Amino acid sequence: MLLSSCEGQEIRRWDMFTGRMLWCSAEAWSANALAVASPPGGNPVVAVATEDGVLRLDALTGAELDGYEMAADDTIWDVATGILPDGRAFIAGAGHCGFRVYRWDAATGEPLGPPLVGHTTCVKAITAITLPDGTALIASEDEAGRILRWNAASGQPYGSPIHGPGDYNMQLVSLALNDGRVMLCRRSRNSALARIL
């Protein structure tokens, strides 16, 4: 699925083969990040990180989906999606106010529990990780370069914090390696860090 947005512009979905625009959002949102979730038995969902929380759009039509207010009182800098061990798709969001990490059911927008806390500065980047045993994790990085991990289903902390270079982070991703291990990679304006989990 090919999506695009830029500050103050609509979100658009494109046909990857023809380049034709399939839909354009009815409103102009300042999207900080986009991610796509695939709830079982339903249409894919586009999660949009904005200054006013997270929006959910039907990925096939672009229509805004009803649901719970998703961190409407917080700026969300980044979103990630993943699959819980029970098969449900989830959305995770990196929060600005209170340095919180959020998680929601992708199909309904319902919170999966209270916000996750532990960061001491704004959370700027987030990714979802699936371990070889099927455990779903959320990893988030704050402005100080500190990466925290949680079990996505229970919200319990996972492992010790990972301390990066401490510069302004721009992206956090997980990569599955051929040997079954997972690599967590972060990128900033000035440096990069990779760690095997």
Side-chain angles (χ1 to χ4, degrees):
M1 192 166 293
L2 180 61
L3 300 164
S4 67
S5 71
C6 62
E7 190 172 342
Q9 299 296 319
E10 300 88 359
I11 297 160
R12 299 177 182 193
R13 180 178 172 208
W14 306 88
D15 185 304
M16 294 190 310
F17 301 104
T18 66
R20 182 176 64 90
M21 186 176 65
L22 298 174
W23 56 256
C24 177
S25 62
E27 296 184 45
W29 293 297
S30 180
N32 295 324
L34 303 170
V36 177
S38 296
N43 288 351
V45 174
V46 178
V48 184
T50 76
E51 301 286 324
D52 301 308
V54 172
L55 296 168
R56 289 182 317 120
L57 305 176
D58 183 306
L60 300 185
T61 66
E64 187 173 350
L65 298 171
D66 292 331
Y68 294 78
E69 288 190 359
M70 298 174 68
D73 61 343
D74 200 348
T75 294
I76 303 298
W77 293 115
D78 196 11
V79 285
T81 61
I83 302 293
L84 296 172
D86 65 8
R88 288 181 297 161
F90 71 90
I91 298 168
H96 179 85
C97 302
F99 321 136
R100 297 173 288 202
V101 171
Y102 301 89
R103 55 199 170 109
W104 302 275
D105 183 295
T108 66
E110 181 180 357
L112 294 176
L116 307 175
V117 295
H119 286 287
T120 56
T121 186
C122 297
V123 185
K124 299 296 278 201
I126 198 162
T127 191
I129 302 165
T130 301
L131 297 179
D133 67 1
T135 300
L137 299 181
I138 296 168
S140 56
E141 184 177 7
D142 59 33
E143 286 184 331
R146 188 167 173 245
I147 299 170
L148 301 180
R149 293 165 291 162
W150 288 276
N151 182 299
S154 69
Q156 293 299 309
Y158 181 90
S160 300
I162 300 170
H163 297 279
D167 53 357
Y168 186 88
N169 59 313
M170 299 177 71
Q171 189 175 28
L172 187 63
V173 297
S174 61
L175 303 169
L177 302 178
N178 290 337
D179 61 8
R181 294 179 300 161
V182 176
M183 179 181 288
L184 187 61
C185 305
R186 59 95 66 190
R187 180 181 67 87
S188 75
R189 292 179 180 156
N190 302 313
S191 65
L193 170 73
R195 175 157 179 169
I196 305 291
L197 301 180

